[in-house]
Structures are given as C-alpha cells and as structure tokens.
C-alpha cells in the first residue's frame, strides 16, 4: 500500500520529459504553457508619460500656495511627441499616455485648473503627480514571465506589450482514452439488459481537455484479451499518455493487468485512499499508461490525483499540484485513519467564513455527487473522524482553468 503523496512523487519522477515546443500566433495561445522565459528588450512604458488628461508643467512652476498663471505653449495628443523643451512659466496641454515633454515632470488634471485663452491657472500640487514613469511596469532585460507559466489573458497582454506577435509554447499532450468492460454501452445507442452506459470516457475526456490535452477517443473495448491488447497498442502509438478505466480490480474479467504485463511495463498500486481501488501505472512503448478503476467517482478522482499532474508535467507547467484551502466543516464526517479520504463537498461563504458540507452519499459509483459538489474535501491520512466545526482541507474545482 502506498500513500497518495508517494504515488504522485513516483509518477512525477517517471515524467521527466516535456512535449516539443511549437511557435504559435499569440492570439492562439491562451491556456498554453510557455516554453521559455520571456524577457523584456525595452522598458514598458517606453517613456515617462501622462496618467491623466491635463497640463504638463515643471515642478519649479508649482505655486506653494495660492495659484499661478502659466502660458500654454503646445498640445500633445496620445502618441504625439513634443519637439521642444518646456521653459519656465510654460505649460503644455497633454492627453493620457502622451510622452512627457522635456522640461516637464508633473501633470495637472484638467479638472483642477482654470483655462483662459492661451493661459492656465494652476493651484499647489505634489511634485511628479500624475506621471507614469518609464519602466514602471517592466524593466528592460528583466524576466517578465517564466518558462512553465500558463498563459492567461493577462500574460497574453503583457507579452503583446513587449511587441511579440508569436510565442513559443509546449505542444498539447496527447491522451488516448478507452473504456473496458462487456457491460459498458455507448451512449446514443441501445443498452442491453445488464449493461450500463459509458460515463467514464466522458468524464475523463473532459478532465483531460481541462488539462489542455488533445484526446483520441478509442472507444469501448470488451473484456477480451486480444481486443484489449490490440487497442492498447494502437493507443500507445498515438499518445503521450494512455488512460483506461475498468478492468484493474481482481475480478475474473479484469484483464488490464495481464495484458499490460505482456506488452509493457506495469506497476500495480494499492493506494491508501478512499474512494480508490487498485491503480495500474506503467508504460507501453514510449507512452505512459494509467489504468484507472471503473467506478465513475474513483476514476475521476484517480485522474485528478495521478494523471493530471503527469499531464501538467508533460506540458511543462511549473505548478502541477493544486494549492489546498481550508474551510470549517458544517457536519461531522466519518474518517478512517491511515488513508486519505476524498469527499465531494459544497463550499459556501457566509459573512467571510468559508464552510463546507458533503454532498450526501459518498459511494464511489455515485457520480451525481460530483455534479452536486463544487470542491473536494481532503481528509489527511493521520486524521480520524471530523467533528462539526473543525477545519478541513478542500480543493475547490476550477483550479485547472
Ligand atoms: P471494474 O473495475 O471493471 O470491475 O468496474 C468497476 C465498476 O465500475 C463496475 O460496476 C462497472 O460496471 C463500472 N464501470 C466500469 N467502466 C465504466 C464506465 N466506462 N462507465 C461507467 N461505469 C463503469
Ligand atoms: Mg470491468
């Protein structure tokens, strides 16, 4: 029996490679992972400029009290550049974003001055007010975004502000997905007596896509050795990671273990977790293999715990494990010491107090608990029963977005 943490460590030690880089138009890279750090080759903003619409002056002309009249000698729209240099007693009308004229170091917002013809009357003002300084956002030569960062809208904007129209990102990892089991039927088709519709290929596809992967759907494989072997070999040829569900327990038709033993290397894990069943981890050729349990909640959970970090590592992400938060339990929870338990929770906030309750029955086949929940409640190994009011760890969903 291994712990969840040890399992994650072993998987991350296996995934030492990244997918290859690709150069893409910046607009197509949201959610992708930066291949190499981006450095600034110039300051942003490139010059001191005005933060408001108003009048640029030299601070030596600011009155200590009362007001002073200055001569307006020019007009600077955004994007304009003032050719000359401001002399004592002069002001320049300036628009937000326009470069500060030589000789000026302070801007009056237009609301605080009185304009009469070509003159402007100004009150006292703090020196250097309303000026955005050259390089105050980004300094030339500095690392602006590190390799391994996920590109969110704000990263895209910052990269654009440095003038880059293309960016080098890692290729999306490819995942091949298949379900096993004679009882598993394709949604949209008929369901014979004794059959259930395939849920796992849809939950797992969704999870893989949330992780940024490209999914090849290899369908449902019956519990027959030759069929399973052929489909797994096909999967390994097209994917970085092969994911199956079902067929990894100890039933008479649980063939994944046997077949993997023939065509690849396989490690069969008993992970000290609940829900959770044995998990098969290994390789088929150059592909990583994850044989997840068949129960729908267990397969989602083992994907989140073990496949997601592997996918993130392959994609080159710096952070591959989620940051847990804490909340106050609204109800008592049964918990067995010595294993990590995951309950589906409903997290709410009342008067600044984060609270969590379970979604109800927690069986590993109760997929509706995943629908009702908005977080996982993570109860650590050493913990026993939870009393109402205790702090518990939670993983809010949406972290992967
Ligand atoms: P297994 O590990 O193959 O014995 O499957 C464990 C349980 O999960 C059984 O009740 C299966 O019917 C169920 N199961 C297996 N595969 C799927 C699937 N793709 N979708 C929904 N339930 C499944
Ligand atoms: Mg099965």
């Amino acid at each position: 029996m291994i712990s969840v943490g040890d399992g994650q460590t072993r998987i991350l030690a296996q995934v030492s490679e990244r997918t290859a880089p690709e150069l893409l138009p910046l607009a197509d890279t949201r959610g992708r992972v930066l291949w190499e750090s981006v450095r600034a080759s110039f300051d942003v903003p490139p010059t001191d400029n005005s933060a408001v619409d108003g009048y640029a002056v030299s601070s030596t002309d600011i009155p200590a009290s009362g007001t002073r009249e200055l001569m307006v000698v020019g007009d600077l729209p955004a994007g304009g550049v003032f050719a000359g240099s401001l002399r004592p007693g002069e002001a320049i009308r300036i628009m937000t974003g326009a470069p500060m004229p030589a000789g000026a170091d302070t801007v009056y917002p237009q609301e605080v001055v009185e304009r009469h013809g070509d003159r402007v009357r100004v009150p006292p003002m703090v020196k250097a007010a309303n000026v955005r300084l050259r390089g105050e956002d980004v300094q030339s030569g500095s690392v602006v975004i590190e390799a391994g960062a996920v590109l969110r809208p704000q990263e895209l904007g910052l990269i654009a502000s440095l003038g880059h129209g293309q960016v080098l990102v890692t290729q999306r990892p490819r995942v091949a997905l298949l379900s096993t089991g004679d009882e598993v039927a394709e949604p949209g088709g008929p369901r014979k007596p004794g059959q259930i519709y395939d849920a796992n290929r849809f939950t797992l596809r969704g999870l893989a896509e949330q992780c940024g992967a490209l999914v090849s759907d290899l369908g449902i494989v019956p519990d027959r050795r030759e069929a399973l072997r052929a489909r797994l070999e096909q999967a390994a040829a097209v994917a970085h990671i092969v994911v199956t569900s079902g067929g990894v327990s100890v039933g008479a038709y649980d063939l994944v273990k046997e077949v993997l033993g023939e065509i690849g290397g396989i490690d069969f894990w008993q992970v000290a977790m609940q829900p959770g069943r044995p998990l098969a981890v290994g390789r088929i050729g150059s592909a990583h293999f994850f044989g997840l349990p068949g129960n729908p909640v267990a397969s989602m959970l083992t994907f989140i715990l073990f496949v997601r970090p592997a996918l993130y590592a392959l994609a080159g992400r710096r952070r591959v494990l989620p940051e847990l938060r804490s909340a106050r339990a609204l109800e008592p929870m049964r918990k067995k010491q010595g294993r990590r338990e995951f309950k589906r929770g409903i997290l709410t906030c009342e008067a600044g107090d984060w609270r969590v309750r379970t979604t109800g029955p927690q069986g590993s086949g109760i997929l509706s608990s995943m629908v009702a929940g908005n977080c996982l409640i993570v109860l650590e190994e050493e913990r026993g029963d939870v009393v109402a009011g205790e702090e518990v760890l939670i993983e809010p969903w949406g972290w992967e977005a």
Side-chain angles (χ1 to χ4, degrees):
M1 197 80 112
I2 64 167
S3 68
V4 171
D6 285 349
Q8 289 172 330
T9 304
R10 282 161 74 162
I11 285 164
L12 291 173
Q14 292 279 312
V15 185
S16 49
E17 76 276 21
R18 287 196 284 177
T19 60
E22 63 180 324
L23 187 64
L24 290 181
L26 181 59
D28 296 340
T29 59
R30 191 185 65 79
R32 300 293 286 267
V33 182
L34 196 58
W35 174 263
E36 58 186 4
S37 297
V38 172
R39 274 178 192 280
S41 58
F42 54 86
D43 290 325
V44 181
T47 58
D48 293 353
N49 67 91
S50 178
V52 295
D53 295 330
Y55 293 85
V57 304
S58 162
S59 53
T60 55
D61 279 335
I62 296 174
S65 60
T67 59
R68 175 172 295 174
E69 204 164 67
L70 302 173
M71 173 81 88
V72 181
V73 297
D75 204 338
L76 261 184
V81 176
F82 187 65
S85 179
L86 209 61
R87 287 173 308 194
E90 293 179 346
I92 288 184
R93 174 126 173 88
I94 192 166
M95 295 296 120
T96 306
M100 289 295 285
D105 59 10
T106 304
V107 181
Y108 282 97
Q110 62 190 26
E111 307 82 63
V112 307
V113 305
E114 280 174 37
R115 175 87 187 247
H116 302 287
D118 58 2
R119 292 177 175 273
V120 66
R121 182 165 287 283
V122 301
M125 172 65 66
V126 180
K127 179 178 175 176
N130 303 311
V131 176
R132 303 192 284 219
L133 298 177
R134 168 182 178 160
E136 74 175 19
D137 188 359
V138 171
Q139 291 82 53
S140 178
S142 64
V143 170
V144 178
I145 307 173
E146 284 183 32
V150 178
L151 300 179
R152 302 169 298 173
Q154 50 270 50
E155 277 81 18
L156 300 185
L158 198 52
I159 293 171
S161 71
L162 295 169
H164 301 295
Q166 294 181 308
V167 60
L168 209 50
V169 294
T170 50
Q171 288 179 6
R172 295 172 66 175
R174 290 189 307 277
V175 171
L177 199 57
L178 56 95
S179 295
T180 70
D182 288 336
E183 81 283 25
V184 181
E186 184 67 37
R191 183 174 63 90
K192 294 188 217 129
Q195 284 197 312
I196 52 161
Y197 282 121
D198 188 354
N200 296 347
R201 246 163 68 245
F202 298 86
T203 54
L204 300 177
R205 183 191 189 107
L207 287 170
E209 287 179 348
Q210 278 184 340
C211 294
L214 287 171
V215 176
S216 301
D217 183 348
L218 297 191
I220 301 165
V221 196
D223 289 320
R224 276 197 300 283
R225 189 162 302 144
E226 285 319 308
L228 185 58
R229 171 204 272 262
R231 203 74 66 89
L232 285 174
E233 282 175 336
Q234 185 192 349
V238 299
H240 298 104
I241 293 188
V242 175
V243 178
T244 65
S245 68
V248 289
S249 28
V250 291
Y253 297 95
D254 292 330
L255 300 171
V256 169
K257 188 177 166 184
E258 269 178 57
V259 170
L260 257 295
E262 293 164 24
I263 62 171
I266 190 78
D267 228 359
F268 209 55
W269 293 1
Q270 296 276 355
V271 184
M273 61 184 276
Q274 163 73 29
R277 297 260 298 273
L279 181 73
V281 179
R283 293 188 83 105
I284 311 173
S286 61
H288 300 277
F289 174 79
F290 292 87
L292 307 183
N295 277 309
V297 175
S299 63
M300 284 193 81
L301 197 59
T302 46
F303 187 104
I304 290 168
L305 291 172
F306 302 111
V307 185
R308 185 174 67 184
L311 273 175
Y312 283 170
L314 258 181
R317 277 168 82 134
R318 258 180 311 158
R319 204 173 113 208
V320 301
L321 294 173
E323 212 172 87
L324 301 184
R325 311 282 158 87
S326 80
R328 224 148 44 78
L330 281 174
E331 62 188 42
M333 297 173 202
R334 308 280 301 173
K335 164 69 174 60
K336 233 193 216 157
Q337 267 181 334
R339 66 186 191 189
R340 188 171 295 205
E341 292 187 16
F342 298 86
K343 301 189 189 292
R344 278 68 70 208
I346 298 171
L347 183 67
T348 52
C349 186
E350 261 169 69
D353 186 26
W354 288 94
R355 302 154 181 208
V356 69
R357 64 194 158 89
T358 68
T359 54
Q362 296 287 309
S364 65
I366 300 181
L367 189 52
S368 56
S369 68
M370 295 291 293
V371 173
N374 61 6
C375 68
L376 280 179
I377 302 169
V378 182
L379 303 176
E380 314 91 303
E381 286 77 357
E382 60 278 14
R383 187 159 204 153
D385 287 345
V386 175
V387 177
E390 264 177 42
E391 290 285 320
V392 291
L393 287 176
I394 53 148
E395 181 190 329
W397 290 335
W399 173 78
E400 62 287 327

